[in-house]
Amino acid sequence: MFRRILIANRGEIAVRVIRACRELGIESIAVYSDADAGALHTSLADRAVRIGPAAAAESYLSSDAILAAAREMGAEAVHPGYGFLSEHHVFAAACADAGIVFIGPPANVIERMGSKISARQLAGQAGVPVVPGDTPADQSDEAIAAAAQRVGLPVIIKPSEGGGGIGMKTVRDASELAASIAQARREAVASFGDGTLYVERLVERPRHVEFQIIADAHGHVVHVFERECSIQRRHQKVVEETPSTAVTPALRQRMGAAAVAVAKAAGYQNAGTVEFLLEGTGDAARFYFLEMNTRLQVEHPVTEQVASVDLVRAQIQVASGEPLPWTQDDLAQRGHAIEVRIYAEDPARDHLPQAGRLLLYRQPSMPGIRVDSGVTEGGEIPVHYDPMIAKLIAHGDTREAARHRALAALRDYPILGIRTNVPFLIELLEHPRFISGDLDTGFLDTEGAALRARLSDDPPPDALAVAAIDSAPVGRATDQPDPWATLRGWRG
Amino acid sequence: MFRRILIANRGEIAVRVIRACRELGIESIAVYSDADAGALHTSLADRAVRIGPAAAAESYLSSDAILAAAREMGAEAVHPGYGFLSEHHVFAAACADAGIVFIGPPANVIERMGSKISARQLAGQAGVPVVPGDTPADQSDEAIAAAAQRVGLPVIIKPSEGGGGIGMKTVRDASELAASIAQARREAVASFGDGTLYVERLVERPRHVEFQIIADAHGHVVHVFERECSIQRRHQKVVEETPSTAVTPALRQRMGAAAVAVAKAAGYQNAGTVEFLLEGTGDAARFYFLEMNTRLQVEHPVTEQVASVDLVRAQIQVASGEPLPWTQDDLAQRGHAIEVRIYAEDPARDHLPQAGRLLLYRQPSMPGIRVDSGVTEGGEIPVHYDPMIAKLIAHGDTREAARHRALAALRDYPILGIRTNVPFLIELLEHPRFISGDLDTGFLDTEGAALRARLSDDPPPDALAVAAIDSAPVGRATDQPDPWATLRGWRG
Amino acid sequence: MADVTPLGNGRYLVADGEKQSLAYAAGPADARWVFLNGRVYVINTNRGDTPRKGQDDELALASPMPAKVAAVKVSVGQQVSRGDVLIMLEAMKMELPIRAPRDGRVKSIACQVGELVQPGTPLVELEHEPGGEKREA
Amino acid sequence: MADVTPLGNGRYLVADGEKQSLAYAAGPADARWVFLNGRVYVINTNRGDTPRKGQDDELALASPMPAKVAAVKVSVGQQVSRGDVLIMLEAMKMELPIRAPRDGRVKSIACQVGELVQPGTPLVELEHEPGGEKREA
């Protein structure tokens, strides 16, 4: 087992990995940009190294800075988290060259699966169905438009590199093709440095259902069941759950086998996720391989809660050469878990990202609730990075139990100083279609406006009364019994 | 299902029940004494009713005050939690007479199982082994002493009523008999208003292993596996876990069947716990019925984590007449859970209970950790009640994983302003005998002093450096970047 | 009016008849943040109403956060309709449109493509006369 | 000496060479509570040492908390040995013995059986001369 791991990430996922290291008795090394000098992950690790200025390109995305830190600190392994360098095959290769274990699959597997074209080829060869699509060798705008017509409208145009929905454009009408191709190309170049585009037929009302897989260096591959991630806004997942309301035992077995087949065909190692589009529900549903994410997933906790496994610890164990801690037969789903992502954004203003100081931040603590977060009260949400500040995961013996727990927890999750999507998530979890499990990836396109409309009410009298109390002149405060009064001297 | 439940308790268990009500859409009514006007349970419930002054006898132990509150508020049911009125059959009967559902077994079952004498008779009749013992009809000190000699030294002398270790005395030598009988009698009268004593042979190096059972009104009884509770100090449990390191599948089946047999013989309903002494480990171990607790147990969360059930919700469902949500075959253990009880006490001063203000209180929040607590930062720990302020429950796929998680969480659980046993618990979880699972109920008698000795070191330089920073004159604080500086205006 | 008891540390108990709720509050009097039953409100207690709501129309024409100007979609004097994109900003890996909060005419433009702008800095000034009766000289 | 950075809200980062830990502190200078690596220390920064430790011998002769005096086990002038029970208190459903912190002689007794006593109130005064050489007149 490693003695020292560098965590090449920030926020909640860096905190998650630091905690896993601590439980394993491994020294954790955080890296931080200037914007994160006071961040939770920076102070929580056993050691912390500054790697550059706030701009991600010069800090968390800088292979050189991170490798230099790893070498300087004597790290034996690097955990990349998700995002940033987690799917950069060049970084993975550079780690290997430096004699540092990259906690993830081999560089060539990342490279192959990172290209949607070669990933789809591989899935097809492994006998796993894929959505009809094309990446023209001629990448001119005209050739892309022609490919879209060939595949058949509606289509999605997306960067061949990258993920997370960046640069993905849906085209239903040929008149939109030129503008969408140009915009997708621009965002692809800006985000991934590669403007290669891929065209895919749009599956109408699909669900996004993905399978967690993990493989060791000894040829063992297991899947840890599905996650339903259909609730997305602009291809960013908002709510994830497991089991999926659409997946029956027979379908689960087929999809799980397909996910394992893809992983085996790829020579996969470590944790990864095979994403499918699902058309219909139940035994008769059809699924299509979408892509493979060659890293830990944001939504891994729902799998951990329902399968009673620790995926981050398993990642570290497998990377150190240990065999998988479980066989497929050891694994079972128990109960239901729902994750909601807490974003610093203003739902009432088109989900505009928010930055600023957390004047007050209190995480709910109650049975069946897990909060993975990277922030603390008084801390600053910087403008430079992803606005997701925490994930709340509810677990219960039934989907309704988990949903009610998530609602109770969100109603006890005060975040003040910046707007978040907590009120939006509450409305979402109360939506009749969510309650019935009638989901597809267009859910928020269809229902989002109605959900946001429910947020636009004025402060009720009770809220005005609360606001009035302490904004009264300070002298009045002595009228009220305040347990903090005696503490003021040292809090100043 | 009920629409409104009154919670006749305080602290963490009242909070636990309020949360369960909220998840079920049931209105919760808290009761509070004058000492708890600002307590968490008082503010968290949907409604709160003052029931009397700080003294428990005039508030939380007052059947009249609580029934009056229940009637006044229109509560359809009362959840008694543990302790206080939870095992008072007269209170249970009074609830029934008032047309209010007591969330627990029928009054006559409480009465019968509340007497160790009749509980043992019942267990014996059900074919479950009991520890040799006697309650002389002649309750004179001399007759008790004679009974002790008859049962055979060493013996335990204990009140026939009550529980929680109050008044229990171990006698190994005949010369100690007179003093121990007198003291047990005094404490029995003081605590339970009944001086009847019971004499029992002491099983040497026993483990305390108990089984959770739950029964509905339709004749279904299941057990939800065992809890190992051998780590006790003065008969107060400190650490509980499940599965027990001593229990094999075959033994679990035998003990579970015995627990269900006791419950069935008693005509039991709702959640209860059948306590056994276990001699030896594994398939050949012998177990003896000890007593039955006719209520929810403090340590119920370890069962909830490992069996993925919600016992409080099930209690409420069963009390409302619904059938049990699970059959025995539905239930399975997954992973391992360890609970440590956080007491307001000073381990370095013979675990002296502490009372006072929580200057700083931050609960750990991390994967696999659940904290059930009844306090908040700035709150007051009153002198009037039990000093247990919280329970920390760690869950992992193995016992070692759970243990490491508990340790990581305790090291991230600052409680300032009053002493707690957190440092003691850390030493305990690191003890080689705890690590190996070599436990018996004398563990803390044998190892406690050595554990406490490890706590007596002086503050290290790092702690002195931290203390020095903000105790410097306030003017100096401006030298340091303090993210809270901008907030001072409104915090004052 | 509800009965409010400060519990300390930003926590408040709000009682309305017999029903009660926990609330949280922080921030200065002119922008006091309140969390109640899962909702967040920003309240200006100096005026007795919500500053964010009242100022939304004006704020929409400033950047809400540090950002880069990706595109200026209008020119001075142009008539715009409610919802039209005036400026496109880039921040946090996303494109952020600044839209017209109502019909009007562009009075001035105070930013350039590529410029880094700070929150609150005016980017575009709109005149709110859809009919144009009070057009300036 | 370690390098300490206040992070706000009672949190501190302690760096010792390259290794760092999170610490928490609260309370006034003469009894500053510090949490570090799972341990709690109460430090008197006015004197640079720990008041609770230094005062334990004296405090042991006062009640540590509100309690009822259940028994007075000694009388004035009596020689006692370290560990002897002097007073038995009752609080929180438990018996709390007040023991002699070292050998000595009972100088005075300031409580009665049945009395409710407050924390810090002296219950017994001990003279700390086991040999008795400096016995008072």
Side-chain angles (χ1 to χ4, degrees):
Chain A
M1 183 48 68
F2 310 114
R3 282 172 308 143
R4 196 176 281 188
I5 292 178
L6 181 138
I7 296 117
N9 216 303
R10 66 180 299 282
E12 67 88 18
I13 195 60
V15 169
R16 170 77 185 90
V17 178
I18 290 166
R19 297 212 190 277
C21 288
R22 198 149 287 165
E23 290 169 17
L24 283 163
I26 298 169
E27 205 169 85
S28 56
I29 301 164
V31 296
Y32 63 95
S33 74
D34 289 339
D36 280 339
L40 180 59
H41 82 279
T42 305
S43 52
L44 199 65
D46 294 322
R47 294 161 193 258
V49 187
R50 179 191 173 277
I51 47 165
E58 296 170 65
S59 51
Y60 299 109
L61 277 169
S62 165
S63 297
D64 291 347
I66 286 172
L67 269 175
R71 271 198 222 91
E72 179 200 330
M73 303 301 287
E76 298 160 64
V78 168
H79 195 301
Y82 52 71
F84 292 130
L85 294 173
S86 61
E87 294 181 285
H88 277 231
H89 65 89
V90 177
F91 176 68
C95 287
D97 289 346
I100 294 169
V101 175
F102 176 83
I103 299 178
N108 65 319
V109 176
I110 300 176
E111 183 173 14
R112 179 157 193 197
M113 302 311 277
S115 153
K116 289 191 184 61
I117 305 162
S118 57
R120 283 163 50 98
Q121 281 171 350
L122 183 142
Q125 285 156 15
V128 175
V130 296
V131 179
D134 193 8
T135 306
D138 174 359
Q139 279 279 319
S140 68
D141 285 10
E142 295 70 27
I144 301 289
Q149 299 283 13
R150 205 159 52 238
V151 165
L153 294 176
V155 297
I156 302 176
I157 297 168
K158 46 187 174 181
S160 180
E161 301 296 322
I166 293 162
M168 286 173 64
K169 306 293 163 195
T170 298
V171 181
R172 294 177 185 275
D173 192 283
S175 67
E176 305 159 8
L177 267 171
S180 297
I181 291 167
Q183 196 176 353
R185 182 96 68 193
R186 202 163 59 235
E187 295 184 26
V189 170
S191 298
F192 310 110
D194 182 340
T196 308
L197 295 181
Y198 172 71
V199 177
E200 187 177 80
R201 197 175 68 209
L202 177 69
V203 179
E204 295 278 10
R205 293 213 59 196
R207 287 173 184 251
H208 175 120
V209 175
E210 61 187 30
F211 271 69
Q212 176 70 52
I213 66 101
I214 184 163
D216 64 20
H218 309 283
H220 308 119
V221 187
V222 299
H223 73 84
V224 200
F225 313 108
E226 81 277 14
R227 288 184 290 258
E228 157 93 56
C229 312
S230 298
I231 311 270
Q232 308 184 348
R233 204 183 64 81
R234 297 187 184 163
H235 300 284
Q236 282 282 359
K237 294 164 187 164
V238 177
V239 179
E240 301 100 342
E241 63 183 304
T242 186
S244 164
T245 53
V247 176
T248 51
L251 178 60
R252 181 171 297 119
Q253 202 158 29
R254 285 197 290 140
M255 293 180 77
V260 168
V262 168
K264 283 191 166 158
Y268 202 82
Q269 283 180 36
N270 219 284
T273 294
V274 181
E275 295 188 339
F276 297 101
L277 286 186
L278 185 68
E279 261 186 333
T281 64
D283 293 352
R286 281 179 300 173
F287 60 89
Y288 305 99
F289 172 82
L290 197 60
E291 62 175 309
M292 181 161 192
N293 294 326
T294 58
R295 50 156 168 90
L296 189 68
Q297 206 87 332
V298 175
E299 58 270 25
H300 74 276
V302 292
T303 299
E304 293 187 327
Q305 296 310 110
V306 161
S308 287
V309 298
D310 184 334
L311 289 169
V312 176
R313 191 175 60 174
Q315 280 194 299
I316 296 171
Q317 288 171 328
V318 163
S320 79
E322 293 182 18
L324 273 178
W326 336 283
T327 66
Q328 190 69 58
D329 286 346
D330 292 335
L331 296 167
Q333 291 172 301
R334 180 78 60 81
H336 197 101
I338 300 174
E339 171 180 288
V340 293
R341 301 190 186 187
I342 314 295
Y343 287 106
E345 64 178 27
D346 188 351
R349 302 178 68 203
D350 202 25
H351 298 270
L352 190 69
Q354 305 285 294
R357 175 90 59 206
L358 290 170
L359 296 178
L360 187 145
Y361 177 84
R362 310 278 163 84
Q363 289 181 184
S365 171
M366 52 185 79
I369 293 297
R370 162 178 169 183
V371 179
D372 283 19
S373 113
V375 300
T376 53
E377 185 165 296
E380 180 92 26
I381 308 300
V383 70
H384 311 280
Y385 313 112
D386 189 276
M388 194 189 78
I389 59 173
K391 307 177 307 203
L392 185 148
I393 304 99
H395 186 214
D397 49 2
T398 63
R399 186 170 186 266
E400 271 301 274
R403 189 179 71 85
H404 283 295
R405 286 195 152 164
L407 280 166
L410 286 169
R411 293 193 175 109
D412 196 16
Y413 197 164
I415 305 174
L416 302 181
I418 55 165
R419 296 275 181 185
T420 73
N421 63 336
V422 164
F424 180 80
L425 291 169
I426 291 171
E427 295 300 330
L428 201 164
L429 294 184
E430 294 276 36
H431 191 288
R433 276 187 60 199
F434 183 82
I435 295 173
S436 69
D438 170 26
L439 309 178
D440 63 65
T441 57
F443 181 87
L444 285 186
D445 292 337
T446 316
E447 312 293 346
L451 294 173
R452 280 184 292 275
R454 298 176 59 88
L455 302 178
S456 59
D457 41 2
D458 287 321
D462 286 3
L464 292 170
V466 170
I469 287 280
D470 269 9
S471 51
V474 176
R476 253 199 59 190
T478 49
D479 301 344
Q480 300 285 352
D482 179 358
W484 283 82
T486 55
L487 307 181
R488 278 177 195 143
W490 60 268
R491 288 191 75 90
Chain B
M1 182 48 67
F2 309 115
R3 280 172 309 145
R4 196 177 281 189
I5 292 178
L6 181 139
I7 296 117
N9 216 303
R10 65 180 300 280
E12 67 89 15
I13 194 62
V15 169
R16 170 77 183 87
V17 178
I18 291 166
R19 297 210 191 278
C21 288
R22 197 148 287 166
E23 290 167 17
L24 283 163
I26 298 169
E27 205 170 83
S28 56
I29 302 163
V31 296
Y32 63 96
S33 74
D34 289 340
D36 281 339
L40 180 58
H41 81 279
T42 306
S43 53
L44 199 65
D46 293 322
R47 293 159 193 260
V49 186
R50 179 191 174 276
I51 47 164
E58 297 170 66
S59 50
Y60 300 109
L61 278 169
S62 166
S63 298
D64 291 346
I66 286 171
L67 270 175
R71 271 197 225 91
E72 180 200 330
M73 303 303 285
E76 298 161 64
V78 168
H79 195 302
Y82 52 72
F84 293 129
L85 293 174
S86 61
E87 294 181 287
H88 278 232
H89 64 90
V90 177
F91 175 69
C95 286
D97 289 347
I100 294 169
V101 175
F102 176 84
I103 299 177
N108 65 319
V109 176
I110 300 177
E111 182 173 16
R112 177 159 195 192
M113 302 312 275
S115 154
K116 289 191 186 60
I117 306 162
S118 59
R120 284 162 49 96
Q121 281 172 348
L122 184 142
Q125 285 157 13
V128 175
V130 296
V131 179
D134 193 7
T135 306
D138 175 0
Q139 280 277 318
S140 68
D141 286 10
E142 296 70 27
I144 303 290
Q149 297 285 10
R150 207 160 50 238
V151 165
L153 294 176
V155 297
I156 302 176
I157 297 167
K158 46 186 173 182
S160 179
E161 301 295 322
I166 293 162
M168 287 174 64
K169 306 293 162 195
T170 299
V171 182
R172 294 177 184 276
D173 192 283
S175 67
E176 306 160 7
L177 269 171
S180 296
I181 291 167
Q183 196 177 352
R185 183 97 65 191
R186 204 163 57 238
E187 296 185 24
V189 170
S191 297
F192 311 111
D194 182 339
T196 308
L197 296 181
Y198 171 71
V199 177
E200 186 178 80
R201 199 176 67 210
L202 177 70
V203 179
E204 294 277 11
R205 292 211 63 194
R207 287 172 184 253
H208 175 119
V209 175
E210 62 187 29
F211 272 70
Q212 176 70 53
I213 65 100
I214 185 162
D216 63 21
H218 310 281
H220 308 119
V221 187
V222 299
H223 73 83
V224 200
F225 314 108
E226 81 277 15
R227 290 184 290 258
E228 156 95 56
C229 313
S230 299
I231 311 269
Q232 307 184 347
R233 204 182 64 81
R234 299 187 183 164
H235 300 282
Q236 281 283 0
K237 295 163 187 166
V238 178
V239 180
E240 302 100 344
E241 62 182 304
T242 187
S244 164
T245 54
V247 176
T248 51
L251 179 60
R252 181 171 297 119
Q253 201 158 29
R254 285 197 291 139
M255 294 180 78
V260 168
V262 169
K264 282 191 168 158
Y268 203 84
Q269 284 180 35
N270 219 283
T273 294
V274 181
E275 295 188 340
F276 297 102
L277 286 185
L278 186 67
E279 262 187 331
T281 63
D283 293 352
R286 281 179 301 173
F287 61 88
Y288 305 99
F289 172 81
L290 196 59
E291 62 175 308
M292 182 161 190
N293 296 325
T294 56
R295 51 161 168 86
L296 189 67
Q297 206 87 332
V298 175
E299 57 271 23
H300 75 276
V302 292
T303 299
E304 294 186 327
Q305 297 309 110
V306 160
S308 287
V309 297
D310 184 335
L311 289 170
V312 176
R313 191 175 59 174
Q315 280 194 297
I316 296 171
Q317 288 171 328
V318 164
S320 80
E322 293 182 18
L324 274 177
W326 336 283
T327 66
Q328 191 68 60
D329 287 346
D330 292 335
L331 296 167
Q333 292 172 299
R334 179 78 60 81
H336 197 102
I338 299 173
E339 171 181 286
V340 293
R341 299 190 187 189
I342 314 295
Y343 286 107
E345 64 178 27
D346 187 351
R349 301 179 67 202
D350 203 23
H351 298 270
L352 189 70
Q354 306 285 294
R357 176 88 60 206
L358 291 170
L359 297 179
L360 187 146
Y361 177 83
R362 311 277 163 86
Q363 288 180 184
S365 172
M366 52 186 78
I369 293 297
R370 162 179 168 182
V371 179
D372 282 19
S373 115
V375 300
T376 52
E377 186 164 295
E380 179 93 27
I381 308 300
V383 70
H384 312 281
Y385 313 110
D386 189 278
M388 194 188 80
I389 58 173
K391 308 177 306 204
L392 186 149
I393 304 100
H395 186 214
D397 49 1
T398 63
R399 187 171 187 267
E400 271 300 274
R403 190 179 70 85
H404 282 297
R405 286 194 153 165
L407 281 165
L410 287 169
R411 292 192 176 110
D412 195 16
Y413 197 165
I415 305 174
L416 302 181
I418 55 165
R419 296 275 181 186
T420 74
N421 64 336
V422 165
F424 180 81
L425 291 169
I426 290 171
E427 296 300 330
L428 200 165
L429 294 184
E430 293 277 36
H431 192 288
R433 277 187 58 199
F434 183 83
I435 295 172
S436 69
D438 171 24
L439 308 179
D440 63 65
T441 58
F443 181 87
L444 285 186
D445 293 337
T446 316
E447 313 292 349
L451 293 174
R452 281 185 291 275
R454 298 178 57 90
L455 302 179
S456 60
D457 42 2
D458 288 321
D462 285 3
L464 292 169
V466 170
I469 287 281
D470 269 7
S471 52
V474 174
R476 252 200 60 189
T478 50
D479 301 346
Q480 298 287 352
D482 180 355
W484 284 81
T486 54
L487 308 181
R488 276 177 198 145
W490 59 269
R491 287 190 76 88
Chain C
M1 193 61 155
D3 188 20
V4 181
T5 312
L7 301 173
N9 209 8
R11 298 165 70 238
Y12 297 82
L13 189 67
V14 188
D16 230 344
E18 283 167 348
K19 271 276 204 178
Q20 60 177 26
S21 303
L22 268 177
Y24 297 79
D30 63 345
R32 186 105 179 124
W33 292 72
V34 175
F35 177 90
L36 179 67
N37 296 329
R39 295 288 179 93
V40 172
Y41 309 95
V42 184
I43 297 167
N44 183 343
T45 58
N46 293 340
R47 298 195 293 144
D49 65 12
T50 57
R52 296 296 157 103
K53 290 227 168 260
Q55 294 166 19
D56 259 12
D57 286 358
E58 303 304 324
L59 280 174
L61 307 182
S63 175
M65 58 197 306
K68 196 167 86 175
V69 178
V72 176
K73 302 281 198 179
V74 291
S75 49
V76 173
Q78 185 176 336
Q79 283 289 340
V80 294
S81 302
R82 183 178 172 200
D84 284 356
V85 175
L86 309 178
I87 304 280
M88 187 65 79
L89 300 173
E90 273 179 23
M92 283 182 164
K93 299 194 297 183
M94 290 174 67
E95 298 194 337
L96 309 175
I98 300 294
R99 295 174 189 275
R102 59 178 71 169
D103 299 347
R105 195 179 64 91
V106 178
K107 186 179 170 194
S108 66
I109 294 171
C111 63
Q112 293 184 325
V113 172
E115 186 182 346
L116 289 167
V117 294
Q118 292 302 313
T121 314
L123 304 175
V124 183
E125 213 178 340
L126 270 198
E127 290 179 298
H128 289 165
E129 305 95 328
E133 311 90 286
K134 288 162 73 179
R135 210 170 273 170
E136 292 186 306
Chain D
M1 192 62 154
D3 187 21
V4 180
T5 310
L7 301 173
N9 210 8
R11 299 166 71 239
Y12 297 82
L13 189 67
V14 188
D16 229 346
E18 282 167 349
K19 269 275 204 179
Q20 61 177 27
S21 303
L22 267 177
Y24 297 80
D30 63 345
R32 185 107 180 123
W33 293 71
V34 175
F35 178 89
L36 179 67
N37 296 329
R39 294 289 179 91
V40 172
Y41 309 96
V42 184
I43 297 166
N44 183 342
T45 57
N46 293 339
R47 298 195 293 145
D49 65 11
T50 59
R52 297 295 157 105
K53 291 227 169 259
Q55 293 166 17
D56 261 8
D57 287 358
E58 303 304 325
L59 281 174
L61 306 183
S63 174
M65 58 197 306
K68 195 168 83 173
V69 178
V72 177
K73 302 282 198 179
V74 292
S75 50
V76 172
Q78 185 177 333
Q79 284 288 339
V80 295
S81 301
R82 181 178 173 199
D84 284 356
V85 176
L86 309 178
I87 304 281
M88 188 65 79
L89 300 173
E90 275 178 23
M92 279 179 167
K93 299 193 297 181
M94 290 175 68
E95 298 193 334
L96 309 174
I98 301 293
R99 295 172 188 276
R102 57 178 73 169
D103 299 346
R105 194 177 66 89
V106 177
K107 187 180 168 194
S108 66
I109 294 172
C111 63
Q112 293 183 324
V113 172
E115 186 182 347
L116 289 168
V117 294
Q118 292 302 314
T121 313
L123 303 175
V124 184
E125 212 178 341
L126 270 197
E127 291 179 299
H128 287 166
E129 304 93 331
E133 310 90 286
K134 288 161 74 179
R135 211 167 274 170
E136 291 185 309

